[in-house]
Amino acid sequence: MEGQRPISWYPGHMAKAKRLLEGQLKRVDIVLELCDARLPLSSRNPALDSMAAHKPRLLLLNKEDLADPSATRQWVEYFRARGIAAYPIQAGKHRQKVLKLMDGLTREKRQRAQTRGIAIGSRAMVVGVPNVGKSTMINTLAGRSSLKTQDRPGVTRAPQWMKAGERLEMLDTPGMLWPRLDDQKMARRLAYIAAIRDEVLDSYHLAIALLDELMAIAPEKVMARYKFEAPSLRGQALMEAVCQARGFLRKGNEYDLDRGAACVLDEFRSGLIGRITLELPGDVL
Ligand SMILES: Nc1nc2c(ncn2[C@@H]2O[C@H](COP(=O)(O)OP(=O)(O)OP(=O)(O)O)[C@@H](O)[C@H]2O)c(=O)[nH]1
Ligand SMILES: [Mg+2]
């Protein structure tokens, strides 16, 4: 995009992350993969399908409260049609739901062990891009807030085990990015959901790109939030409309575009513009 630095991925880091993940996979019985329900494709790790092919696995579309419910239904169908058990959740809330799903994944193995008089436990790892809600999920399952969580990427720095019950141990992992190296659109979308640090990007251009995408997907929500009626507005004019609505002006009546950008990113991330999903299965088929 014009005026915006390209986001660079580091192949060395990716290779290291892949090796780490391979090592951890050997130590667990279950894989909980979290993706962001607003971005179910771009926020998934495409390598996991083959790497974890032989492990019981769940794909949890997290932050469903921020996504468009009908889009979430389409995504669940899309993944299930491809043999991937997908479920929408809110990591901070759905303790029983996720425990039950995990229980279902290991029941056979446990019952086989039981017939031999052995009670076995389960070890599960949680993987996903930065800021997707991995630590929140484990805290919820464990029923205590031991792991640090925050609405920014890179909060968890190292893998960490945590007991989540008599027979359940969970491995929290630092967020891992695994995009196609050349896909700037995907990278931008990861930045919208704060899976990539803001500082890596130019917030102003990022926020304009987000507004443009939102106007293409849900113009009525954007216009209702920022109180303007011009469905064809795009680019800087759109950001000016936001500044106008909020009174973000500098001395001399110039628009404070940086403040507008910060506001749009914040409000999208916290769901204030509405429940919006950024990509649909139809876009990728
Ligand atoms: N709205 C909403 N917010 C959520 C949900 N789950 C997690 N969050 C928030 O998302 C932010 C990131 O959560 P974390 O649990 O720290 O995410 P993480 O995947 O561990 O992040 P890293 O350790 O940085 O990779 C926090 O502010 C959480 O409160 C959800 O279902 N809905
Ligand atoms: Mg974390």
XYZ file of all heavy atoms in Angstrom, residues 36-130:
744
model
N -8.595 -16.328 15.362
C -9.475 -15.203 15.659
C -10.705 -15.321 14.761
O -10.570 -15.402 13.534
C -8.726 -13.886 15.394
C -9.492 -12.689 15.945
O -10.651 -12.473 15.523
O -8.942 -11.966 16.796
N -11.895 -15.324 15.363
C -13.125 -15.524 14.586
C -13.351 -14.415 13.554
O -14.101 -14.598 12.604
C -14.319 -15.612 15.522
N -12.671 -13.271 13.725
C -12.820 -12.199 12.736
C -11.928 -12.443 11.523
O -12.043 -11.780 10.491
C -12.451 -10.840 13.363
C -13.406 -10.387 14.434
C -12.799 -9.270 15.257
N -11.631 -9.730 15.999
C -10.858 -8.932 16.736
N -11.130 -7.650 16.810
N -9.824 -9.427 17.380
N -11.019 -13.392 11.677
C -9.989 -13.599 10.664
C -9.568 -15.076 10.652
O -8.398 -15.392 10.869
C -8.788 -12.729 11.077
C -7.889 -12.104 10.049
C -8.694 -11.357 9.010
C -6.898 -11.184 10.724
N -10.521 -15.967 10.407
C -10.250 -17.384 10.639
C -9.186 -17.975 9.717
O -8.576 -18.988 10.066
C -11.593 -18.065 10.386
C -12.595 -16.983 10.541
C -11.919 -15.735 10.054
N -8.963 -17.353 8.595
C -7.962 -17.922 7.702
C -6.591 -17.288 7.940
O -5.606 -17.974 8.165
C -8.396 -17.691 6.255
C -7.755 -18.669 5.307
C -8.377 -20.043 5.457
C -7.898 -18.171 3.885
N -6.556 -15.962 7.913
C -5.267 -15.277 8.060
C -4.651 -15.495 9.430
O -3.442 -15.342 9.593
C -5.439 -13.780 7.824
O -5.962 -13.538 6.551
N -5.472 -15.798 10.437
C -4.894 -15.968 11.768
C -4.598 -17.439 12.071
O -4.251 -17.781 13.193
C -5.825 -15.388 12.846
O -6.990 -16.178 12.995
N -4.719 -18.316 11.065
C -4.371 -19.725 11.294
C -2.963 -20.011 10.827
O -2.447 -19.361 9.930
C -5.313 -20.633 10.507
C -6.642 -20.819 11.156
C -7.323 -22.023 10.566
N -6.740 -23.260 11.048
C -6.665 -24.375 10.326
N -7.082 -24.416 9.090
N -6.142 -25.468 10.845
N -2.406 -21.014 11.425
C -1.089 -21.463 11.025
C -1.256 -22.608 10.025
O -1.618 -23.712 10.400
C -0.358 -21.954 12.269
C 1.006 -22.489 11.943
O 1.270 -22.851 10.803
N 1.860 -22.525 12.930
N -1.027 -22.347 8.739
C -1.320 -23.370 7.732
C -0.480 -24.635 7.898
O -0.876 -25.705 7.449
C -0.996 -22.673 6.404
C -0.152 -21.503 6.758
C -0.471 -21.122 8.170
N 0.676 -24.504 8.561
C 1.544 -25.682 8.703
C 1.007 -26.669 9.735
O 1.367 -27.839 9.734
C 2.950 -25.240 9.099
N 0.133 -26.181 10.605
C -0.335 -27.034 11.693
C -1.153 -28.225 11.185
O -1.129 -29.301 11.774
C -1.160 -26.194 12.678
C -1.224 -26.712 14.098
C 0.148 -26.756 14.740
C -2.157 -25.842 14.918
N -1.875 -28.027 10.096
C -2.704 -29.109 9.572
C -1.881 -30.372 9.325
O -2.304 -31.464 9.656
C -3.402 -28.686 8.269
C -4.611 -27.809 8.554
O -5.101 -27.846 9.694
O -5.052 -27.092 7.645
N -0.699 -30.192 8.746
C 0.109 -31.383 8.498
C 0.929 -31.767 9.735
O 1.079 -32.937 10.049
C 1.026 -31.169 7.293
O 1.751 -29.978 7.468
N 1.413 -30.763 10.460
C 2.264 -31.080 11.624
C 1.501 -31.819 12.714
O 2.047 -32.673 13.391
C 2.859 -29.799 12.196
C 3.968 -29.233 11.335
S 4.455 -27.608 11.920
C 5.329 -28.024 13.402
N 0.230 -31.430 12.909
C -0.542 -32.037 13.998
C -1.581 -33.011 13.452
O -2.565 -33.320 14.107
C -1.218 -30.950 14.828
N -1.331 -33.511 12.247
C -2.334 -34.348 11.570
C -2.735 -35.566 12.402
O -3.869 -36.016 12.331
C -1.804 -34.781 10.215
N -1.805 -36.093 13.204
C -2.119 -37.335 13.927
C -2.498 -37.100 15.378
O -2.605 -38.039 16.155
C -0.945 -38.310 13.806
C -0.593 -38.564 12.377
N -1.467 -39.170 11.505
C 0.494 -38.229 11.638
C -0.920 -39.221 10.298
N 0.271 -38.640 10.358
N -2.701 -35.840 15.739
C -3.084 -35.541 17.127
C -4.563 -35.186 17.178
O -5.058 -34.516 16.274
C -2.329 -34.300 17.642
C -0.837 -34.442 17.711
C -0.433 -35.055 19.017
C 1.081 -35.299 18.991
N 1.513 -36.146 20.073
N -5.239 -35.582 18.258
C -6.591 -35.051 18.452
C -6.502 -33.532 18.550
O -5.661 -33.005 19.280
C -7.024 -35.647 19.787
C -6.122 -36.811 20.010
C -4.836 -36.498 19.318
N -7.341 -32.853 17.791
C -7.181 -31.404 17.698
C -8.521 -30.699 17.596
O -9.448 -31.199 16.965
C -6.360 -31.101 16.445
C -6.119 -29.637 16.197
C -4.996 -29.457 15.216
N -5.250 -30.121 13.958
C -5.351 -29.490 12.773
N -5.213 -28.191 12.717
N -5.556 -30.168 11.678
N -8.600 -29.533 18.212
C -9.783 -28.683 18.078
C -9.354 -27.353 17.501
O -8.303 -26.835 17.868
C -10.399 -28.387 19.453
C -11.041 -29.521 20.236
C -11.382 -29.027 21.640
C -12.301 -30.009 19.527
N -10.176 -26.811 16.631
C -9.937 -25.449 16.160
C -10.989 -24.562 16.823
O -12.188 -24.728 16.593
C -10.070 -25.371 14.634
C -9.996 -23.955 14.047
C -8.646 -23.298 14.364
C -10.232 -23.965 12.548
N -10.534 -23.657 17.679
C -11.462 -22.790 18.401
C -11.438 -21.404 17.775
O -10.384 -20.756 17.703
C -11.069 -22.732 19.880
C -11.048 -24.107 20.568
C -10.501 -24.006 21.983
C -12.436 -24.736 20.578
N -12.599 -20.982 17.265
C -12.710 -19.635 16.676
C -12.989 -18.680 17.825
O -14.129 -18.512 18.252
C -13.859 -19.594 15.650
C -13.542 -20.088 14.232
C -13.142 -21.557 14.228
C -14.735 -19.894 13.318
N -11.917 -18.110 18.357
C -12.058 -17.311 19.580
C -12.492 -15.868 19.285
O -12.412 -15.405 18.162
C -10.733 -17.313 20.356
C -10.919 -16.754 21.743
O -11.968 -16.924 22.364
N -9.923 -16.036 22.240
N -12.945 -15.210 20.327
C -13.448 -13.835 20.248
C -14.686 -13.788 19.358
O -14.864 -12.862 18.565
C -12.362 -12.857 19.758
C -11.048 -12.961 20.552
C -10.143 -11.765 20.391
C -8.810 -11.990 21.127
N -7.926 -10.847 21.137
N -15.503 -14.825 19.464
C -16.724 -14.869 18.649
C -17.626 -13.675 18.954
O -18.430 -13.267 18.128
C -17.500 -16.164 18.879
C -18.006 -16.301 20.294
C -19.293 -17.104 20.418
O -19.879 -17.466 19.397
O -19.707 -17.350 21.558
N -17.474 -13.113 20.161
C -18.292 -11.948 20.526
C -17.963 -10.735 19.666
O -18.738 -9.783 19.597
C -18.101 -11.610 22.021
C -16.634 -11.422 22.390
O -15.809 -12.296 22.047
O -16.297 -10.396 23.000
N -16.789 -10.746 19.005
C -16.396 -9.606 18.171
C -16.683 -9.863 16.685
O -16.572 -8.961 15.855
C -14.898 -9.309 18.348
C -14.435 -9.009 19.783
C -12.924 -8.813 19.814
C -15.135 -7.755 20.322
N -17.031 -11.094 16.353
C -17.216 -11.460 14.943
C -18.695 -11.475 14.572
O -19.563 -11.576 15.432
C -16.602 -12.833 14.698
N -18.956 -11.411 13.283
C -20.328 -11.462 12.779
C -20.848 -12.907 12.905
O -20.261 -13.827 12.336
C -20.295 -11.010 11.310
C -21.633 -11.191 10.621
O -22.644 -11.336 11.324
O -21.647 -11.199 9.375
N -21.930 -13.120 13.652
C -22.385 -14.489 13.921
C -22.668 -15.307 12.660
O -22.366 -16.499 12.622
C -23.671 -14.295 14.725
C -23.598 -12.906 15.263
C -22.765 -12.112 14.322
N -23.200 -14.654 11.614
C -23.528 -15.460 10.432
C -22.232 -15.854 9.708
O -22.109 -16.955 9.161
C -24.528 -14.724 9.538
O -23.911 -14.240 8.389
N -21.234 -14.977 9.714
C -19.936 -15.328 9.118
C -19.297 -16.469 9.914
O -18.698 -17.384 9.339
C -19.015 -14.112 9.118
N -19.443 -16.431 11.233
C -18.856 -17.489 12.063
C -19.484 -18.842 11.715
O -18.781 -19.845 11.604
C -19.043 -17.165 13.564
O -18.405 -15.906 13.822
C -18.425 -18.231 14.444
N -20.804 -18.840 11.508
C -21.471 -20.099 11.124
C -20.899 -20.624 9.801
O -20.638 -21.807 9.648
C -22.983 -19.893 11.000
C -23.697 -19.919 12.359
C -25.196 -20.042 12.190
N -25.788 -18.868 11.550
C -26.127 -17.744 12.204
N -25.942 -17.653 13.504
N -26.658 -16.724 11.557
N -20.686 -19.701 8.863
C -20.124 -20.134 7.570
C -18.736 -20.726 7.726
O -18.371 -21.707 7.094
C -20.019 -18.945 6.608
C -21.346 -18.389 6.149
C -21.132 -17.166 5.264
O -20.309 -17.163 4.353
N -21.862 -16.103 5.531
N -17.936 -20.123 8.608
C -16.573 -20.627 8.811
C -16.568 -21.996 9.485
O -15.780 -22.867 9.136
C -15.739 -19.635 9.638
C -15.156 -18.540 8.798
C -15.475 -17.220 8.830
C -14.144 -18.679 7.788
N -14.736 -16.534 7.904
C -13.919 -17.400 7.253
C -13.430 -19.759 7.287
C -12.984 -17.174 6.236
C -12.495 -19.539 6.270
C -12.290 -18.258 5.761
N -17.462 -22.165 10.440
C -17.531 -23.465 11.120
C -17.848 -24.550 10.087
O -17.210 -25.600 10.042
C -18.571 -23.428 12.265
C -18.911 -24.830 12.749
C -18.054 -22.579 13.414
N -18.807 -24.261 9.225
C -19.151 -25.220 8.163
C -17.969 -25.472 7.233
O -17.690 -26.592 6.853
C -20.293 -24.668 7.312
C -21.650 -25.150 7.755
C -22.736 -24.460 6.961
O -22.598 -24.364 5.718
O -23.701 -23.974 7.588
N -17.297 -24.391 6.870
C -16.141 -24.487 5.965
C -15.082 -25.441 6.532
O -14.598 -26.334 5.852
C -15.550 -23.076 5.786
C -14.203 -23.005 5.097
C -14.106 -22.838 3.713
C -13.016 -23.084 5.828
C -12.872 -22.760 3.092
C -11.781 -23.006 5.207
C -11.714 -22.842 3.835
O -10.500 -22.767 3.218
N -14.759 -25.252 7.816
C -13.716 -26.100 8.410
C -14.215 -27.533 8.585
O -13.490 -28.482 8.304
C -13.253 -25.526 9.747
C -12.411 -24.292 9.585
C -12.815 -23.073 10.121
C -11.210 -24.339 8.888
C -12.042 -21.924 9.965
C -10.428 -23.199 8.723
C -10.850 -21.986 9.260
N -15.459 -27.664 9.041
C -15.969 -29.026 9.267
C -16.013 -29.804 7.958
O -15.730 -30.992 7.928
C -17.335 -28.980 9.940
C -17.176 -28.524 11.381
C -18.447 -28.619 12.176
N -18.216 -28.048 13.504
C -19.165 -27.734 14.357
N -20.432 -27.945 14.047
N -18.863 -27.224 15.532
N -16.358 -29.116 6.857
C -16.378 -29.785 5.550
C -14.981 -30.271 5.170
O -14.820 -31.147 4.325
C -16.906 -28.835 4.482
N -13.966 -29.698 5.798
C -12.591 -30.102 5.526
C -12.032 -31.006 6.624
O -10.820 -31.175 6.764
C -11.707 -28.858 5.353
C -11.902 -28.257 3.981
C -11.558 -26.789 3.906
N -11.896 -26.296 2.572
C -13.139 -26.013 2.160
N -14.154 -26.157 2.992
N -13.363 -25.594 0.937
N -12.932 -31.528 7.419
C -12.513 -32.502 8.440
C -11.886 -31.887 9.673
O -11.224 -32.576 10.451
N -12.052 -30.578 9.866
C -11.466 -29.921 11.038
C -12.581 -29.575 12.018
O -13.527 -28.864 11.669
C -10.706 -28.648 10.618
C -9.556 -29.016 9.666
C -10.171 -27.893 11.838
C -8.882 -27.828 9.020
N -12.476 -30.091 13.240
C -13.512 -29.838 14.248
C -13.382 -28.401 14.738
O -12.453 -28.062 15.462
C -13.333 -30.809 15.411
N -14.305 -27.542 14.300
C -14.216 -26.110 14.620
C -15.386 -25.670 15.490
O -16.526 -26.081 15.246
C -14.192 -25.302 13.325
N -15.090 -24.837 16.487
C -16.134 -24.349 17.400
C -15.893 -22.893 17.750
O -14.779 -22.528 18.120
C -16.126 -25.160 18.709
C -16.353 -26.629 18.478
C -15.273 -27.467 18.212
C -17.634 -27.163 18.485
C -15.468 -28.818 17.965
C -17.840 -28.515 18.237
C -16.751 -29.333 17.985
O -16.956 -30.660 17.732
N -16.953 -22.060 17.680
C -16.805 -20.662 18.118
C -16.802 -20.594 19.641
O -17.595 -21.298 20.284
C -18.053 -19.978 17.560
C -18.986 -21.057 17.141
C -18.283 -22.361 17.153
N -15.931 -19.761 20.198
C -15.897 -19.630 21.667
C -15.505 -18.213 22.091
O -15.083 -17.385 21.280
C -14.876 -20.589 22.326
C -13.462 -20.319 21.808
C -15.252 -22.026 22.174
C -12.403 -20.598 22.842
N -15.642 -18.004 23.396
C -15.029 -16.850 24.060
C -14.118 -17.436 25.138
O -14.602 -18.052 26.087
C -16.087 -15.976 24.711
C -16.934 -15.197 23.720
C -18.020 -14.397 24.410
O -17.747 -13.583 25.286
N -19.247 -14.641 24.039
N -12.840 -17.219 24.948
C -11.858 -17.888 25.826
C -12.047 -17.538 27.299
O -11.748 -18.340 28.174
C -10.443 -17.536 25.382
N -12.553 -16.353 27.557
C -12.704 -15.941 28.949
C -13.937 -16.523 29.625
O -14.119 -16.372 30.833
N -14.785 -17.203 28.845
C -16.079 -17.620 29.394
C -16.371 -19.108 29.308
O -16.980 -19.669 30.210
C -17.202 -16.912 28.609
C -17.405 -15.477 28.994
C -18.713 -14.971 28.433
C -18.944 -13.516 28.835
N -19.908 -12.872 27.960
N -15.992 -19.717 28.183
C -16.560 -21.034 27.886
C -15.768 -22.196 28.465
O -15.262 -23.049 27.737
C -16.738 -21.181 26.376
C -17.780 -20.249 25.846
N -17.812 -19.795 24.550
C -18.849 -19.679 26.450
C -18.848 -18.986 24.374
N -19.481 -18.897 25.516
N -15.730 -22.257 29.780
C -14.946 -23.299 30.452
C -15.538 -24.690 30.207
O -14.864 -25.574 29.688
C -14.910 -22.984 31.949
C -14.114 -23.968 32.742
C -13.848 -23.457 34.158
N -12.852 -24.266 34.787
C -13.148 -25.324 35.535
N -14.395 -25.673 35.738
N -12.170 -26.040 36.051
N -16.819 -24.844 30.577
C -17.441 -26.173 30.468
C -17.465 -26.658 29.025
O -17.209 -27.821 28.747
C -18.881 -26.138 31.025
C -18.943 -26.127 32.544
C -18.057 -27.214 33.176
O -17.956 -28.330 32.678
N -17.389 -26.872 34.266
N -17.786 -25.752 28.130
C -17.881 -26.123 26.709
C -16.552 -26.701 26.214
O -16.515 -27.762 25.589
C -18.270 -24.884 25.892
C -18.354 -25.113 24.389
C -18.844 -23.859 23.666
C -18.816 -24.035 22.157
N -19.398 -22.889 21.447
N -15.458 -26.002 26.513
C -14.164 -26.456 25.996
C -13.695 -27.719 26.726
O -13.161 -28.647 26.101
C -13.110 -25.315 26.087
C -11.746 -25.791 25.618
C -13.568 -24.119 25.248
N -13.940 -27.792 28.038
C -13.543 -29.001 28.773
C -14.269 -30.224 28.214
O -13.679 -31.289 28.051
C -13.865 -28.851 30.268
C -12.882 -27.981 31.073
C -13.368 -27.838 32.518
C -11.466 -28.562 31.045
N -15.546 -30.028 27.893
C -16.338 -31.141 27.369
C -15.805 -31.587 25.996
O -15.687 -32.776 25.712
C -17.804 -30.691 27.245
C -18.785 -31.808 27.351
C -20.189 -31.265 27.528
C -21.156 -32.266 26.895
N -22.450 -31.685 26.600
N -15.454 -30.618 25.170
C -14.914 -30.950 23.849
C -13.590 -31.703 23.986
O -13.332 -32.675 23.279
C -14.688 -29.667 23.029
C -15.940 -28.963 22.520
C -15.608 -27.570 21.993
C -16.589 -29.796 21.410
N -12.766 -31.242 24.920
C -11.475 -31.903 25.125
C -11.685 -33.316 25.662
O -10.992 -34.258 25.277
C -10.616 -31.101 26.106
C -10.113 -29.797 25.504
S -9.370 -28.732 26.748
C -7.845 -29.598 27.053
N -12.644 -33.441 26.548
C -12.965 -34.734 27.125
C -13.351 -35.711 26.024
O -12.914 -36.864 25.994
C -14.132 -34.526 28.105
C -14.268 -35.692 29.033
O -13.283 -35.960 29.749
O -15.330 -36.341 29.016
N -14.168 -35.209 25.096
C -14.621 -36.033 23.975
C -13.445 -36.538 23.142
O -13.438 -37.668 22.663
N -12.416 -35.708 22.997
C -11.264 -36.075 22.173
C -10.445 -37.209 22.774
O -9.796 -37.962 22.061
C -10.318 -34.875 22.019
C -10.704 -33.736 21.092
C -9.588 -32.719 21.035
C -10.975 -34.254 19.686
N -10.456 -37.304 24.112
C -9.563 -38.285 24.758
C -10.339 -39.447 25.383
O -9.739 -40.328 25.977
C -8.733 -37.604 25.866
O -9.643 -36.918 26.744
C -7.741 -36.613 25.296
N -11.662 -39.426 25.238
C -12.483 -40.421 25.947
C -12.053 -41.860 25.631
O -11.826 -42.655 26.529
C -13.966 -40.224 25.610
C -14.866 -41.109 26.494
C -16.312 -40.726 26.356
N -16.514 -39.323 26.690
C -17.336 -38.508 26.047
N -18.037 -38.960 25.033
N -17.476 -37.256 26.410
N -11.913 -42.133 24.335
C -11.592 -43.508 23.937
C -10.313 -44.002 24.590
O -10.268 -45.085 25.155
C -11.409 -43.541 22.424
C -12.293 -44.560 21.729
C -12.073 -44.484 20.237
O -11.056 -45.032 19.782
O -12.886 -43.849 19.539
N -9.300 -43.142 24.521
C -7.996 -43.510 25.068
C -8.097 -43.756 26.581
O -7.534 -44.708 27.110
C -7.012 -42.365 24.782
C -5.570 -42.720 25.019
C -4.661 -41.604 24.535
C -3.244 -41.794 25.040
N -2.409 -40.646 24.739
N -8.864 -42.866 27.235
C -9.006 -43.003 28.686
C -9.752 -44.280 29.047
O -9.400 -44.980 29.974
C -9.714 -41.785 29.271
C -8.744 -40.679 29.665
C -9.435 -39.528 30.337
N -10.318 -38.841 29.408
C -11.633 -38.824 29.477
N -12.246 -39.443 30.460
N -12.348 -38.187 28.574
N -10.794 -44.565 28.243
C -11.585 -45.761 28.543
C -10.764 -47.024 28.328
O -10.845 -47.968 29.123
C -12.862 -45.778 27.683
C -13.921 -44.838 28.264
C -15.124 -44.658 27.359
O -15.102 -45.055 26.195
N -16.181 -44.043 27.873
N -9.945 -47.008 27.286
C -9.072 -48.174 27.045
C -8.144 -48.373 28.230
O -7.950 -49.480 28.702
C -8.248 -47.948 25.778
C -8.919 -48.444 24.502
C -7.894 -48.738 23.409
N -6.924 -47.661 23.222
C -7.110 -46.614 22.398
N -8.222 -46.503 21.720
N -6.177 -45.689 22.279
N -7.595 -47.267 28.731
C -6.672 -47.357 29.863
C -7.414 -47.829 31.111
O -6.895 -48.630 31.888
C -6.016 -46.003 30.104
N -8.639 -47.338 31.259
C -9.438 -47.681 32.440
C -9.701 -49.185 32.525
O -9.637 -49.770 33.596
C -10.777 -46.948 32.387
C -11.029 -46.095 33.628
C -12.204 -45.155 33.385
O -13.023 -45.378 32.498
N -12.290 -44.110 34.180
N -9.982 -49.776 31.369
C -10.244 -51.221 31.382
C -9.011 -51.992 31.842
O -9.110 -53.127 32.282
C -10.675 -51.740 29.983
O -9.658 -51.376 29.062
C -12.007 -51.154 29.540
N -7.863 -51.364 31.738
C -6.647 -52.008 32.251
C -6.299 -51.500 33.651
O -5.209 -51.708 34.149
C -5.472 -51.740 31.292
C -5.648 -52.493 29.966
C -4.460 -52.319 29.053
N -4.446 -50.984 28.439
C -3.415 -50.170 28.431
N -2.291 -50.503 29.011
N -3.494 -49.001 27.841
N -7.244 -50.775 34.230
C -7.072 -50.314 35.613
C -6.140 -49.117 35.758
O -5.617 -48.836 36.827
N -5.911 -48.392 34.663
C -5.009 -47.229 34.731
C -5.815 -45.938 34.526
O -6.647 -45.874 33.618
C -3.929 -47.289 33.614
C -3.269 -48.667 33.582
C -2.884 -46.191 33.809
C -2.469 -48.931 32.318
N -5.554 -44.960 35.382
C -6.193 -43.653 35.184
C -5.160 -42.733 34.530
O -4.118 -42.452 35.128
C -6.631 -43.079 36.518
N -5.423 -42.322 33.315
C -4.435 -41.463 32.650
C -4.903 -40.011 32.595
O -6.092 -39.730 32.572
C -4.083 -41.951 31.215
C -5.363 -42.048 30.367
C -3.324 -43.242 31.248
C -5.090 -42.162 28.881
N -3.949 -39.126 32.548
C -4.270 -37.708 32.424
C -4.048 -37.254 30.996
O -3.642 -38.042 30.141
N -4.325 -36.002 30.732
C -4.106 -35.472 29.390
C -3.199 -34.257 29.452
O -3.225 -33.484 30.406
C -5.427 -35.027 28.764
O -6.287 -36.107 28.645
N -2.427 -34.124 28.416
C -1.591 -32.937 28.266
C -2.006 -32.251 26.971
O -2.006 -32.857 25.906
C -0.116 -33.345 28.213
C 0.418 -33.768 29.595
C 1.547 -34.760 29.466
N 2.789 -34.145 29.055
C 3.726 -33.693 29.886
N 3.558 -33.733 31.185
N 4.837 -33.171 29.426
N -2.382 -30.985 27.106
C -2.871 -30.260 25.935
C -2.017 -29.025 25.699
O -1.585 -28.381 26.651
C -4.319 -29.835 26.167
N -1.765 -28.719 24.457
C -1.079 -27.448 24.195
C -2.004 -26.501 23.450
O -2.889 -26.917 22.697
C 0.232 -27.639 23.449
C 0.133 -27.943 21.989
S 1.789 -28.223 21.313
C 2.327 -26.535 21.077
N -1.798 -25.212 23.711
C -2.610 -24.183 23.072
C -1.706 -23.403 22.126
O -0.673 -22.885 22.548
C -3.222 -23.241 24.128
C -4.114 -22.204 23.472
C -4.040 -24.052 25.133
N -2.081 -23.372 20.867
C -1.273 -22.636 19.889
C -2.124 -21.606 19.158
O -3.342 -21.739 19.063
C -0.617 -23.562 18.829
C 0.469 -24.400 19.432
C -1.648 -24.428 18.130
N -1.457 -20.617 18.621
C -2.166 -19.592 17.856
C -1.311 -18.348 17.714
O -0.293 -18.198 18.401
N -1.743 -17.451 16.867
C -1.000 -16.216 16.633
C -0.976 -15.361 17.906
O -1.781 -15.583 18.814
C -1.592 -15.378 15.465
C -1.435 -16.100 14.141
C -3.031 -14.989 15.729
N -0.066 -14.400 17.990
C -0.029 -13.517 19.164
C -1.386 -12.852 19.410
O -2.101 -12.518 18.449
C 1.031 -12.473 18.789
C 1.927 -13.177 17.812
C 1.024 -14.098 17.041
